[in-house]
Amino acid sequence: MRWTLHYVLDFAEIPTFQALPDIDTNGDSKYSQAELVAYADKLGKTLPQLFSLTVNGGHPTLQLLERHIDLLDGQGGLNTTRIAYVYLSLIHI
């Protein structure tokens, strides 16, 4: 059986501000799409370790299929972050 898990993270202004040094890997204070994607990929690979999923008594392995990340305008001139992930699992019953 195959199924997908959709997982969305919304970071408010302060958590986004705290994450910006990890996103801006070249230190130019600009956040390229490549840097955003690399950050989302890195985070997306670690998230399943934090999930507690049980399906038919088993613990499925999740594979990251898709991710989408946006820096959005927040309050006080700060950004917020929205990351949406889609994971695929193959369950053997």
Side-chain angles (χ1 to χ4, degrees):
M1 169 177 27
R2 289 181 186 227
W3 54 273
T4 57
L5 170 69
H6 296 254
Y7 193 78
V8 179
L9 295 170
D10 285 309
F11 297 152
E13 291 84 355
I14 298 303
T16 295
F17 180 78
Q18 292 170 330
L20 291 177
D22 293 331
I23 295 171
D24 183 22
T25 56
N26 65 5
D28 67 357
S29 297
K30 297 177 185 174
Y31 312 103
S32 70
Q33 189 61 33
E35 288 173 317
L36 290 167
V37 167
Y39 178 78
D41 283 346
K42 180 180 174 183
L43 185 59
K45 290 176 184 172
T46 64
L47 286 174
Q49 299 167 20
L50 304 174
F51 298 156
S52 178
L53 299 174
T54 303
V55 178
N56 292 331
H59 299 284
T61 300
L62 299 175
Q63 175 187 1
L64 181 60
L65 283 183
E66 300 175 23
R67 50 71 199 109
H68 184 79
I69 181 171
D70 287 307
L71 284 180
L72 306 168
D73 293 335
Q75 297 296 313
L78 298 173
N79 291 317
T80 63
T81 307
R82 178 175 170 73
I83 311 173
Y85 294 101
V86 178
Y87 294 94
L88 174 70
S89 180
L90 180 59
I91 304 280
H92 298 284
I93 300 176

